[in-house]
């Protein structure tokens, strides 16, 4: 059935936070690739990588919040 | 012994109000707002901000310095929550303990841990609210780290508390995220005092006081301002910066450090941690990194984990003095934990600095936990250490008790973390894992693989392989095999293997009832439920109760079935209070009954919940719930969704290839849906495919009662009769229905009998035999009235409604008797349902009249007149008081201990202000609650 068809597939997420996060944190965030960009808003860090499901996404966001990082955007690759 | 209850340091540390700290900056404006919240009589103070904004410090400061303008005396109950408290029972017992610690009065309320599992918190909360409200003492209840609670029953209970809060209680919640409580409502009603991130940031003045006075730095105003800007007033950031600066003596160097720090874009704590660590001695640095893997620290545990011989107690106390983000968990300097932020930073650095050390640290922690009796923590550390052999040995030790408590999720988490070889090399673990996998609905080939691995060791695990194979066969509806294997298992299994024996007994009882020759081993289901409860085997207890409920439902004792399903549902929760996938079975039954009683909203909710849970367990199990949902949808005129539900069910039936019964059930549903839609061609085609006409003219012999596939025939004949009536062939239909009625009677199927009477009524009516039509209708109504059947009436649609209206007029002319009165009343009720039927607005739904749930609600509204309302459970006991049952028999009937019944009795007597059983019953009847 359609409703079950893609329920266990992971998706690629891009999560952007304010400030520069050391790439050494990569492993901490389930191996998501960390890139740092200079933007008009200042320095931004983007974590990019596969996220297994919504629970995993929530876990990652919680970790970011626990480090008091400000989340700017969360985007899922189509 | 339940592994998850072994959480050693908790009790001592959870109610500890953090003591005032030497380095705290006075925050009078925030304390004033906290006071204001009390003065204005707000119900809740919420302190919500990310880690490191001084939430706990602020509240403990407020509490320790004496709340308010000191005119008001308040007792303070403090509860620090952690991840384990998402178990409602555990939360409740901690809440009570913290209140008992704080209040001078005695709280005579049952500890939820002693009650049967379930959703009792609201009842208990009512008692608690009454108790607190009857005291003069003012009370402040602080729940710290509330974001760690994820159990909905806990949120519900707190929302209830906020709605019914006595004026002498004030609640304070500190959390990193807004709790799922009705905050908007509280805000709108002016019942909420909030302190949020922006309020908690250090002002530049506070930053200056903190850095220069408390942390003993001597920074220039410009430097302070720069730090405050860079950290945006985040206290943890300023704290870390201060620690880094403490090692710098010259003012010039400090300014240079600050310039470098504020100019860098790096994440603040990354930058600062390096500086802070570099200022510590080598042993302290090593200690910090190596103990970062621990959730809680105590000196003996740290001694065991840290590499070189360190004096952990000295270091822990030094860390506390030096403000290095350790939080004492008690007043005895025994248990500590790192501030969460700091622990994250340290762990991350540990992985970077000593990646090879991580495993051995976890191994040592695991060994220590084993030696100190906390196997569950030991397993987690052994798995983190990837020491799979040890982990497997440990899991094998407690897998049986974990499984008995229905904690399949925990077991699966562990066994999923193990390599297959580690499991397969241990036949006992292998079998327990196979059970867990099967009960969790994992694919059968994985279960088979476990069985194959255990087979060579079958002598070491006597009876276990046939036991599991028996359940497998039962799942696949190979009932003869299932029963034969179960009997073999029962002979081979040793007496002490209570877990497996109770599974086998369950299989025999559940499926053996279908076969007369199996009666020698069949244990009545109620006894089996008892065995399951007594041995702590939730799986068996829930399944047995559900099956018992099914049997009651089929025989037409719907209200009895309802309470059995409820009981099964209450039991089907794990230690965290989450519903087990097993709960899908009773939920399905409740949904079906709610639909029978025309409470469509509740029915849909139960069925959806059932599907969600059942699909985790065993996907095909949800088939019945999909079909029940389909019915709900088509009578609500939502044909599209109804068809989609049937299609989903059909897919499931096709995929589940071991039996044809499920395919047949889907086809029957499709045919009934087609009947409702007036699509007679489809019905005709199906009936032809079933070859119904070949036996429609014959009377059904008794073999049709015993052979499962023959038993289904009667439903086909019902569909045929309905079709015939729609085609105007009423005489033909009557012949079939008359032959069918004795079969339904013999098999004790009241719902089928009602359906037959109603069809006969329609058929007679069509033939113009009006008196006989009304008499048949009266028979249907008489059968339906006591238990409140509505579905057969809804199914027959408009023609039957007209006939009931006729009936009303006709009976109006007859002489009223006691016999006919309830039937007339029932006809009225049915008409009010049917007239508004499709779609039925919920307000006038039938359930509001007949469903036992609303009966209970009516009772509770009466009970409100009592000073203290009786809980639902106390009502259960009260009802039994009006019988000849002894206390012991009441305990058996309610599946609780005698002790619990006695404690309920005590409460009932005191609430009713009576002293004996006789008085209690009389008074209860007098005030109308019995």
């Amino acid at each position: 059935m359609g409703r079950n068809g893609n329920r266990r597939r992971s998706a690629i997420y891009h999560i952007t936070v304010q400030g520069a996060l050391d790439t050494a944190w990569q492993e901490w965030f389930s191996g998501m690739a960390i890139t740092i960009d200079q933007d008009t808003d200042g320095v931004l860090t983007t974590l990019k990588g596969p996220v297994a499901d919504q629970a995993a996404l929530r876990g990652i966001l919680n970790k970011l919040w626990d480090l008091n990082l400000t989340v700017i955007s969360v985007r899922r690759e189509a | 012994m339940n592994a998850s209850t072994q959480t050693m340091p908790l009790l001592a540390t959870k109610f500890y109000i953090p003591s005032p700290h030497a380095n705290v900056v006075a925050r009078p404006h925030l304390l004033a707002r906290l006071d204001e919240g009390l003065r204005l009589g707000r119900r809740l103070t919420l302190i919500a901000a990310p880690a490191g904004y001084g939430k706990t410090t602020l509240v403990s400061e407020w509490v320790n310095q004496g709340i308010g303008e000191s005119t008001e005396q308040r007792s303070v109950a403090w509860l620090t929550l952690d991840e384990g408290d998402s178990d409602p029972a555990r939360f409740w017992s901690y809440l009570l303990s913290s209140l008992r610690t704080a209040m001078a009065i005695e709280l005579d309320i049952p500890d939820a841990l002693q009650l049967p599992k379930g959703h009792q918190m609201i009842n208990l909360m009512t008692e608690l609210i009454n108790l607190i409200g009857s005291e003069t003492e003012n009370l402040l209840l602080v729940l710290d780290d509330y974001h760690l609670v994820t159990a909905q029953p806990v949120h519900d209970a707190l929302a209830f508390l906020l709605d019914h809060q006595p004026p002498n209680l004030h609640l304070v919640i500190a959390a990193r995220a807004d709790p799922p409580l009705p905050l908007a409502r509280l805000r709108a009603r002016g019942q909420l005092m909030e302190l949020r991130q922006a309020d908690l940031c250090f002002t530049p003045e506070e930053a200056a006081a903190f850095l220069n006075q408390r942390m003993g730095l001597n920074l220039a105003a410009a430097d302070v301002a720069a730090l405050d800007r860079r950290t945006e007033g985040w206290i943890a950031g300023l704290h870390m910066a201060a620690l880094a600066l403490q090692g710098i003596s010259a003012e010039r160097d400090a300014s240079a450090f600050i310039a470098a720090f504020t100019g860098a874009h790096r994440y603040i704590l990354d930058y600062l941690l390096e500086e802070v660590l570099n200022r510590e001695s080598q042993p302290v640095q090593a200690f910090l990194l190596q103990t970062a893997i621990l959730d809680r620290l105590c000196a003996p545990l740290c001694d065991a984990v840290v590499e070189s011989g360190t004096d952990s107690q000295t270091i822990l106390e030094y860390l506390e003095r030096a403000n290095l983000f350790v939080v004492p968990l008690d007043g005895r300097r025994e248990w500590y934990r790192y501030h969460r932020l700091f622990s994250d930073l340290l762990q991350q650095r540990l992985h970077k600095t000593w990646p090879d050390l991580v495993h051995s640290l976890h191994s040592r922690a695991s060994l220590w936990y084993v030696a100190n009796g906390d196997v569950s923590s030991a397993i987690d550390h052994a798995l983190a250490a990837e020491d799979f052999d040890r982990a497997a040995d440990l899991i094998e030790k407690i897998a049986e008790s974990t499984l008995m408590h229905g904690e399949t999720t925990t077991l699966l988490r562990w066994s999923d973390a193990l390599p297959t070889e580690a499991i397969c090399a241990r036949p006992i673990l292998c079998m327990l894992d196979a059970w867990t996998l099967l009960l969790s609905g994992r694919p059968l080939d994985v279960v088979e693989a476990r069985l194959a691995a255990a087979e060579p060791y079958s002598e070491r695990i006597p009876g276990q392989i046939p036991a599991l194979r028996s359940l497998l066969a039962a799942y696949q509806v190979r009932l003869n095999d299932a029963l034969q294997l179960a009997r073999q298992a029962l002979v081979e299994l040793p007496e002490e293997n209570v877990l497996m024996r109770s599974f086998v007994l369950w299989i025999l009882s559940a499926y053996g009832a279908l076969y007369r020759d199996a009666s020698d081993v069949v244990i009545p289901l109620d006894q089996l439920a008892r065995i399951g409860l007594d041995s702590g085997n939730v799986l068996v207890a829930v399944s047995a109760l559900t099956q018992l409920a099914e049997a009651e439902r089929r025989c037409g004792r719907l209200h009895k079935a309802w309470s059995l399903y409820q009981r099964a549902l209450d039991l089907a929760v794990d230690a965290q209070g989450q519903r087990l996938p097993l709960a899908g079975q009773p939920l399905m039954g409740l949904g079906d009954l709610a639909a029978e009683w025309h409470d469509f909203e509740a029915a849909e909710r139960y069925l959806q919940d059932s599907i969600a849970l059942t699909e985790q367990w065993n996907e095909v199990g949800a088939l019945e719930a999909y079909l029940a949902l389909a019915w709900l949808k088509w009578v609500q005129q939502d044909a599209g969704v109804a068809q989609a539900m049937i299609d989903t069910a059909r897919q499931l039936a096709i995929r589940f290839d071991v039996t044809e019964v499920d395919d047949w059930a889907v086809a029957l549903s499709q045919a009934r849906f087609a009947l409702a839609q007036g699509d007679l061609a489809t019905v005709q085609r199906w009936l032809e495919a079933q070859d119904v006409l070949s036996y429609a003219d014959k009377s059904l012999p008794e073999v049709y009662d015993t052979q499962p596939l023959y038993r289904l025939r009667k439903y086909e004949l019902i569909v045929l009769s309905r079709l015939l009536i729609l085609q105007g062939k009423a005489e033909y239909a009557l012949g079939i229905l008359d032959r069918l009625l004795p079969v339904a009677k013999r098999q004790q199927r009241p719902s089928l009998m009602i359906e037959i009477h109603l069809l006969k009524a329609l058929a007679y009516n069509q033939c113009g035999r009006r008196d006989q039509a009304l008499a048949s209708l009266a028979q249907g109504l008489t059968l339906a009235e006591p238990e409140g059947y509505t579905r057969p009436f809804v199914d027959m649609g408009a023609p039957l409604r007209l006939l009931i209206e006729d009936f009303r007029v006709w009976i109006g002319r007859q002489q009223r008797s006691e016999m006919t009165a309830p039937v007339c009343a029932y006809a009225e009720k049915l008409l009010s349902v049917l007239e508004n039927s499709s779609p039925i607005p919920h307000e006038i739904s039938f359930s509001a009249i007949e469903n036992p749930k609303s009966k209970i609600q009516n009772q509770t509204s009466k009970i409100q007149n009592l000073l203290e309302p009786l809980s639902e459970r106390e009502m259960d006991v009260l009802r039994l008081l009006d019988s000849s049952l002894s206390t012991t028999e009441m305990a058996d009937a309610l599946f609780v201990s005698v002790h619990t019944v006695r404690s309920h009795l005590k409460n009932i007597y005191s609430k009713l202000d009576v002293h004996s059983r006789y008085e209690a019953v009389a008074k209860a009847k007098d005030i109308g609650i019995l």
Side-chain angles (χ1 to χ4, degrees), chain A residues 6-33:
Chain A
N6 54 7
R7 68 174 168 186
R8 284 197 187 88
R9 279 230 319 268
S10 68
I12 306 290
Y13 275 85
H14 299 245
I15 304 171
T16 307
V17 298
Q18 217 163 40
L21 189 63
D22 203 300
T23 48
W25 284 90
Q26 203 150 304
E27 199 187 334
W28 191 256
F29 292 103
S30 327
M32 291 179 93

Side-chain angles (χ1 to χ4, degrees), chain A residues 58, chain B residues 83 85-86 146-155 576 578:
Chain A
R58 190 172 170 165
Chain B
E83 280 91 346
D85 299 332
S86 263
Y146 190 77
H147 56 276
L148 295 175
V149 173
T150 52
Q152 194 55 43
V154 174
H155 301 317
Q576 278 68 48
Q578 305 286 332

Side-chain angles (χ1 to χ4, degrees), chain B residues 43 71 128 142 162 168 171 231 325 353 399 514 537 566 577 715 741 748 792 811 818 859 864 922:
Chain B
R43 291 185 174 184
T71 45
L128 181 63
V142 182
L162 285 168
N168 59 332
L171 185 62
T231 57
F325 292 98
T353 319
L514 294 174
N537 191 337
Q566 280 287 1
Y715 299 101
L741 191 57
Q748 294 180 345
I811 201 100
E818 258 179 55
Q859 280 161 355
Q864 299 308 337

Side-chain angles (χ1 to χ4, degrees), chain B residues 47 50 56 59 75 159 167 202 210 237 291 332 346 357 401 407 432 437 444 477 659 781 867:
Chain B
I47 301 163
T56 306
V59 182
S75 313
F202 267 171
F210 175 74
T291 54
R332 302 188 309 275
L346 290 174
L357 199 57
S401 67
E407 293 179 57
L432 287 165
L437 292 165
L444 293 185
V477 206
T659 165
L781 284 167
L867 240 53

Side-chain angles (χ1 to χ4, degrees), chain B residues 326-338:
Chain B
V326 293
V327 184
L329 293 174
D330 54 38
R332 302 188 309 275
R333 304 244 167 325
E334 196 178 335
W335 284 94
Y336 297 85
R337 68 174 168 83
Y338 288 119

Side-chain angles (χ1 to χ4, degrees), chain B residues 76 78 125 165 175 203 244 340 349 388 426 451 473 610 634 661 676 732 775 788 801 808 815 837 841 855 883 912:
Chain B
V76 178
W78 186 291
M125 195 53 104
Q165 199 156 319
T203 62
R340 177 70 175 274
R349 188 154 300 249
F388 296 124
R426 292 170 178 76
L451 276 168
S610 167
W634 86 60
V661 178
Y732 189 8
R801 196 178 71 214
R808 186 168 53 172
Q815 196 155 23
S837 214
K855 266 190 196 159
S883 72
L912 293 172

Side-chain angles (χ1 to χ4, degrees), chain A residues 1 3-4 7 20-22 24-25 27-28 43 65-69, chain B residues 53 176 234 265-267 270 340-341 344-345 348 352 615 619 626 651:
Chain A
M1 283 309 294
R3 56 182 293 281
N4 299 337
R7 68 174 168 186
L21 189 63
D22 203 300
W25 284 90
E27 199 187 334
W28 191 256
V43 178
W65 288 322
D66 283 350
L67 295 173
N68 195 33
L69 291 160
Chain B
Y53 277 93
R176 283 191 203 159
W234 183 32
H265 290 298
R266 281 182 72 189
Y267 171 53
D270 260 349
R340 177 70 175 274
L341 253 176
D344 286 357
L345 290 168
Q348 192 261 339
K352 204 165 118 185
E615 285 189 344
E619 227 177 336
Y626 277 116
Q651 296 295 332

